[in-house]
Amino acid sequence: MKKLIATLLLAAVFAASPTRVLAQPSAHYVPGVEGIKGSSLPPPGVYVRDYNVVYFADRANDSSGNKLVDPGVFIYANIPRLIWITDQKVLGGYLGVDALIPLQYTDIDIVNKSTFGAGDLFAEATLSWHVDQADFSVGYGVWAPTGHSSTTDPTRPGAGFWTHMFTAGMTWYMDTEKKWALSALSRYEINHEKKDTDWTPGQAYTLEWGLSYALRKTVDVGVAGYYQQQVTKDSGADSDKDKVVAIGPEIVMFCPKLGVFTSIRYNYEVLAEDRTQGHTIALTLTKRL
C-alpha cells in the first residue's frame, strides 16, 4: 500500500511539473558533462566537441533525500558543440563563441513513455585567459526553447522556456611542471516561464570540479564531481528546492596522430533531494578543425 501511495504521489508531481523526473529538473544545464580541467578553454582556433552522456536512475527522492519510488529513468544524449576561439582580445582575454544542440533519447518506465528528438539550442560568448599557473574563463549564454516540449510528457527533449546562463571558472596548476591541476567551473541559470503554463523554474547553480594528475603529456587521470542546487523556489507551484551531489573517476587521453582528445568519466550521485538519484557516464571527443 505504501508503494502504491508513493507511486500515485510521484505521478501527481510529474503531472504538475514534468521536468522534475529528468536529470536536471530546475536547470537547463546537465551536470557532469565537464570534468577535470573543465574551466580551461582551448587556444585560438575552431574546434568540434562531441559529448555522449548516459544517465540512468532507479530512484526518485523526496525533499529529504528519501526514496519515493523506482522511476526507471534512462537518458542518452549526443551533444555536438562547435567552438571558435578568436585571436581578438577583450580585457586581455581571448574572445570566443560556441553553440550546441542536444539530440536526446529519454525512456521513463513509470510513465511508460519514450521519446527521441532535438533539445533546446544553446549559444554563448566567452573570454579566456592563460597565465603561467592558471587558466580562467567567463561566459554568458542563452538556452532557447527550440526543442519539442510538453506539459504532460516528461520524456520530451525540450524544456519549453528561455534560460540565461552565466559561467565562470578557473584551473590552477599546482606545480611548476603542471602535472597536478585543480579546476572549478560555476554556472548560474535564470529561467523564464514555461510556455503554456504559469510555472517558472527556480534559479539554479551548478559547480563542476576536478582534480587531476598528468601521467604523461597525453594522459591525465583524476577524480571529478558536480553539485547542482536550485537557489530559488519555482513560481506558480508549491515546490521544494532540488539538489544533487556526485563524484567519480575520469581519464583524459590525447591521440597525436588523430589530433583528438578523449575523456571518459563516471559520476555516482551520492545525494539527491526532490529529484532522481542515479549515475552519469560521459564520453567526450574534441578535435581542432
Side-chain angles (χ1 to χ4, degrees):
M1 180 61 69
K2 289 184 178 180
K3 184 175 182 180
L4 175 60
I5 292 173
T7 302
L8 293 174
L9 288 174
L10 191 62
V13 171
F14 291 162
S17 177
T19 54
R20 288 200 173 278
V21 75
L22 300 180
Q24 64 283 8
S26 63
H28 250 114
Y29 183 73
V30 180
V33 298
E34 303 290 356
I36 59 178
K37 298 181 183 177
S39 301
S40 299
L41 289 174
V46 179
Y47 304 82
V48 61
R49 178 169 291 173
D50 186 60
Y51 301 93
N52 295 270
V53 182
V54 173
Y55 178 84
F56 55 97
D58 60 1
R59 60 182 294 164
N61 296 347
D62 61 17
S63 58
S64 298
N66 300 313
K67 182 177 179 178
L68 286 174
V69 72
D70 179 357
V73 173
F74 176 85
I75 301 173
Y76 167 71
N78 178 262
I79 311 168
R81 178 186 179 192
L82 186 64
I83 304 170
W84 179 27
I85 306 297
T86 72
D87 292 319
Q88 180 68 40
K89 284 192 172 184
V90 177
L91 301 176
Y94 289 106
L95 176 65
V97 292
D98 64 85
L100 61 82
I101 186 165
L103 305 173
Q104 180 173 307
Y105 171 79
T106 302
D107 181 88
I108 304 175
D109 289 343
I110 197 171
V111 296
N112 195 29
K113 289 185 179 181
S114 61
T115 301
F116 175 79
D120 293 341
L121 174 69
F122 175 73
E124 73 172 337
T126 62
L127 289 175
S128 54
W129 296 263
H130 308 278
V131 297
D132 289 342
Q133 295 297 123
D135 298 326
F136 301 90
S137 63
V138 296
Y140 165 73
V142 175
W143 293 91
T146 57
H148 186 191
S149 63
S150 172
T151 57
T152 58
D153 184 355
T155 67
R156 297 298 179 181
F161 52 85
W162 292 83
T163 297
H164 304 275
M165 188 167 79
F166 302 87
T167 299
M170 180 185 75
T171 299
W172 172 41
Y173 298 98
M174 304 164 67
D175 60 308
T176 56
E177 296 180 343
K178 294 187 175 182
K179 288 190 174 183
W180 286 98
L182 178 65
S183 64
L185 183 64
S186 294
R187 304 188 190 272
Y188 195 88
E189 297 176 67
I190 301 174
N191 301 312
H192 288 247
E193 184 178 88
K194 182 179 175 68
K195 62 183 180 181
D196 301 324
T197 73
D198 59 356
W199 173 64
T200 301
Q203 299 175 17
Y205 170 75
T206 304
L207 172 67
E208 294 174 293
W209 60 269
L211 175 64
S212 63
Y213 179 77
L215 294 177
R216 58 186 71 176
K217 290 184 178 181
T218 58
V219 180
D220 283 358
V221 296
V223 60
Y226 57 82
Y227 168 85
Q228 190 172 78
Q229 167 74 61
Q230 183 176 347
V231 178
T232 63
K233 285 191 174 183
D234 301 342
S235 65
D238 184 14
S239 67
D240 295 301
K241 299 176 185 177
D242 60 78
K243 178 193 301 182
V244 68
V245 179
I247 189 171
E250 180 177 0
I251 181 170
V252 179
M253 299 167 288
F254 175 65
C255 178
K257 290 185 178 180
L258 299 177
V260 175
F261 284 90
T262 302
S263 72
I264 304 173
R265 179 172 52 262
Y266 165 72
N267 285 131
Y268 170 67
E269 294 182 343
V270 297
L271 177 149
E273 297 176 359
D274 200 35
R275 63 188 288 161
T276 57
Q277 181 176 352
H279 313 260
T280 301
I281 301 171
L283 168 66
T284 305
L285 305 173
T286 305
K287 180 175 175 59
R288 182 170 183 170
L289 300 179

